[in-house]
Amino acid sequence: MSESRDLVVVGAGPAGMAAAAAALDGGLRVALVDSGAAPGGQFWRHPPLFARKAVTTADLHHGLSTYRALCATLAAHERTGRLALLLNHHVWTTARDEDGLAVHAVDRGRAPEERPVVLRAPALLVATGAYDRQLPFPGWDLPGVLTAGGLQSLLKGGGVVAGRRVILGGTGPFLLPVAAALAARGAKVVAVCEAAAPSAWLRHPAALLRNPAKWAEGARYAGTLARHRVPVRTRTAIVGAEGEGRVAVVRTAALDPDGRPLPGTERRIEADTVGVGWGFVPQLDLLLPLGCGLGDAGDGTMAAAVDEGQRTTVPGLYAAGETCGVGGAALAVSEGRVAAVSVLTDLSAPGRPGTRRPAAERRAVARHRAFARAMAQAHPLPPAWPAWLTDDTPVCRCEEVTAGAVRSARADDSAADHRQVKQLTRAGMGWCQGRMCGPAVHCLVARGEPYSPAERLIATPVTLGALANSGESTSDHT
C-alpha cells in the first residue's frame, strides 16, 4: 500500500539535509533523495562505509558538528517512518502532476539493475548544488588534468592524493583548501595560480567584516600553505599543459588586468597533476523542465530565482543552496531551513505544528549572500581568457570541437549563444551534455550575458527499460 509524502527533497547536501530535518521537525512526511551512498553531498563527502576505518578524512571537513546533528535528526525520523531516505537514487526529470509535482528517478542501489521510482508530493525542494566551471587551455585534455573539485572529491571520498607534483590554477577561495589538503597529505604543491588580485577584496570591506569566520578560515589555509612552502602567485594563470600520454609540464603566465598573458612572463613548471577551477555553475537540470524562473547570480552564471522564503516562480517548487547561486555550506544550511519553514507555512493544516518566523536564518542568508556577491566581484573570469586558446585547442572534448570551430560559428553571426553553437558544431552533445564545455562555449560567443544551461528533459543517463516503465512505477515510499 502506498503512502503520500508532503515534501520531496532532491539533494542530500547541506541545504537538503537542513531542509528535510526542519520540515520533519515541523511535522511533515518527507522523502529525501540523493544519488550518493550516504547523505552529505560533495561538501560532507565521506569514504564508503566499508573503508571509513582505514581512511581518515575528518580533518578535511568543516562544520562536522552540524553534519552529525542533522544526521541524528534524520535517523530519528527515519526510524519512525516519517522520513524516507532514498540513497543511490538518480533523479532524471521532474514534472507537473495532478496532485502536485512528480520526481522521476531510478534506484541504482542494486546495480546493474535499475528500478524506476516516481515520487509525488504537493511540494518539491531542489537542492542539487553546483559543479566545477572550467575554461579550456591548450593541453587541458591530457590525462592528469582534473578539476579542483575532482581533486578534493578524491581526497574526501577515499583519501586519495591524485599526484606527486601538483599545480592548481583558476580563481576563487576554493583553490586554497584543495592546495592545503594536498600539501598536508604529502603532495608537492608546486604553485597555486590565482588569476585575480587580492587587492580586489579591499573594495568589499563590509562583506569581510560581517563574515569573520570566512577570512579566518582563509588565514588558516594560508598558514598551511606557508608551512609547506607552497607559492601562491596572483594575477597568474595556467595557459598550457604539455606531455606525452600524460601531463608533464605546465605553462603559466602573469596576466594583465583583462586577463591577457603578459609577454616575457611565461614559466614552464614540471607537474604530473593539474587542478583547475574557475568557480561553479548551479545545477539547474531539475528546475528548468518545470519552468522555474532564473536570475543573474552575479558571477557569470544564472541561478534559480527565489523570494525571501526560497520559493521559486513555480507554485509548490522551492530551491536552496548552490542552485540559488554559489555561496558556501553555511549559506546552504540557512537557506534549507528557511525553505522548510516556507513549506510548512504553505502547506499549513490543522494539527500540524506551527513554527516561528526564521528571522535569524534569514539574516544569515542575507549576510552570506552579500559575501558571495563580493566574492564573485573579487574573482571574476578574466575577460580576455580566450587569448590563451589556439584554434586547434579542443573546447568540447566529448565531440572534439575546437576553439577555431566555435570562433568560426560566431564569425559570420550564425551563432549568438552556446545553444546555436551546439546545433552547428555538436559542442555539448557528448556524454557530459555541455556541463564541461557549456560555460566556455558561451563565453566565446556571447556578449556579456550570464550563462544559462540548456534544458535537458533527461538530466542523467537512464536505461530505456527504466524510461519505458517510469510512467507506471510508484515507489514503496510514495
Side-chain angles (χ1 to χ4, degrees):
M1 180 178 179
S2 65
E3 56 177 321
S4 63
R5 293 284 161 179
D6 302 306
L7 170 67
V8 175
V9 179
V10 181
M17 292 179 72
L24 289 160
D25 285 344
L28 298 186
R29 297 177 63 80
V30 178
L32 177 57
V33 189
D34 195 88
S35 61
Q42 294 299 322
F43 184 75
W44 287 318
R45 185 185 183 98
H46 288 79
L49 288 174
F50 67 83
R52 290 190 183 180
K53 291 184 179 180
V55 179
T56 301
T57 62
D59 61 306
L60 300 175
H61 291 280
H62 297 278
L64 278 180
S65 60
T66 300
Y67 170 72
R68 290 168 181 145
L70 291 172
C71 284
T73 299
L74 296 177
H77 287 291
E78 190 176 18
R79 287 192 294 270
T80 67
R82 191 173 292 279
L83 169 67
L85 180 58
L86 307 180
L87 301 173
N88 294 304
H89 280 61
H90 295 245
V91 177
W92 59 269
T93 198
T94 54
R96 299 178 189 273
D97 187 88
E98 63 270 11
D99 298 322
L101 297 166
V103 173
H104 295 262
V106 288
D107 178 1
R108 292 178 178 155
R110 301 177 182 85
E113 176 187 351
E114 286 192 352
R115 183 173 68 92
V117 173
V118 182
L119 302 163
R120 294 183 174 88
L124 167 62
L125 170 65
V126 175
T128 45
Y131 55 91
D132 292 78
R133 176 167 57 185
Q134 293 297 291
L135 298 182
F137 53 86
W140 79 308
D141 53 338
L142 282 170
V145 180
L146 295 86
T147 66
L151 289 175
Q152 190 184 66
S153 292
L154 289 170
L155 284 168
K156 287 184 175 182
V160 175
V161 178
R164 294 185 300 273
R165 288 180 60 85
V166 185
I167 183 169
L168 294 166
T171 193
F174 182 64
L175 297 176
L176 299 181
V178 177
L182 287 167
R185 274 168 161 65
K188 175 63 176 177
V189 181
V190 293
V192 176
C193 300
E194 165 60 65
S199 58
W201 277 102
L202 298 178
R203 296 193 293 271
H204 309 282
L208 287 173
L209 292 174
R210 294 182 64 201
N211 293 274
K214 296 287 189 181
W215 54 261
E217 181 182 344
R220 288 195 299 272
Y221 295 139
T224 300
L225 297 181
R227 286 196 303 273
H228 290 277
R229 299 183 179 181
V230 177
V232 178
R233 295 172 180 155
T234 59
R235 285 270 188 214
T236 302
I238 296 171
V239 296
E242 302 169 5
E244 294 294 331
R246 183 183 175 87
V247 63
V249 174
V250 174
R251 292 185 287 110
T252 70
L255 305 177
D256 70 14
D258 287 331
R260 291 182 178 84
L262 291 170
T265 64
E266 185 171 301
R267 299 185 185 186
R268 294 172 60 84
I269 302 172
E270 292 184 2
D272 58 26
T273 303
V274 182
V276 187
W278 293 94
F280 299 89
V281 180
Q283 180 68 268
L284 305 175
D285 288 348
L286 302 181
L287 295 168
L288 295 178
L290 296 170
C292 175
L294 304 180
D296 188 345
D299 59 358
T301 68
M302 298 289 279
V306 294
D307 67 8
E308 66 173 7
Q310 302 302 129
R311 300 174 182 89
T312 72
T313 57
V314 177
L317 179 63
Y318 307 78
E322 313 282 56
T323 53
C324 305
V326 174
L331 171 60
V333 168
S334 291
E335 287 187 340
R337 289 171 176 160
V338 170
V341 172
S342 295
V343 174
L344 286 163
T345 301
D346 297 344
L347 297 183
S348 59
R352 234 172 228 159
T355 183
R356 292 176 296 177
R357 176 182 172 89
E361 295 293 357
R362 289 184 177 177
R363 286 195 296 270
V365 168
R367 185 177 73 253
H368 291 305
R369 275 287 166 219
F371 184 86
R373 287 192 294 272
M375 182 175 65
Q377 294 172 27
H379 296 273
L381 296 186
W385 71 263
W388 312 343
L389 306 181
T390 60
D391 278 347
D392 60 353
T393 302
V395 174
C396 172
R397 299 187 294 192
C398 298
E399 296 293 324
E400 299 182 347
V401 180
T402 65
V406 174
R407 286 166 171 158
S408 295
R410 178 190 176 181
D412 58 4
D413 291 327
S414 299
D417 61 21
H418 63 98
R419 296 173 181 83
Q420 290 177 310
V421 172
K422 179 178 180 179
Q423 295 169 350
L424 294 170
T425 68
R426 294 189 58 83
M429 287 191 179
W431 180 259
C432 81
Q433 286 293 285
R435 290 175 178 85
M436 289 292 290
C437 67
V441 171
H442 177 80
C443 288
L444 287 172
V445 297
R447 293 167 175 79
E449 302 86 357
Y451 170 72
S452 175
E455 180 179 338
R456 304 180 183 95
L457 295 180
I458 298 178
T460 188
V462 60
T463 64
L464 292 176
L467 279 176
N469 295 327
S470 64
E472 304 172 0
S473 301
T474 57
S475 169
D476 294 337
H477 303 283
T478 60

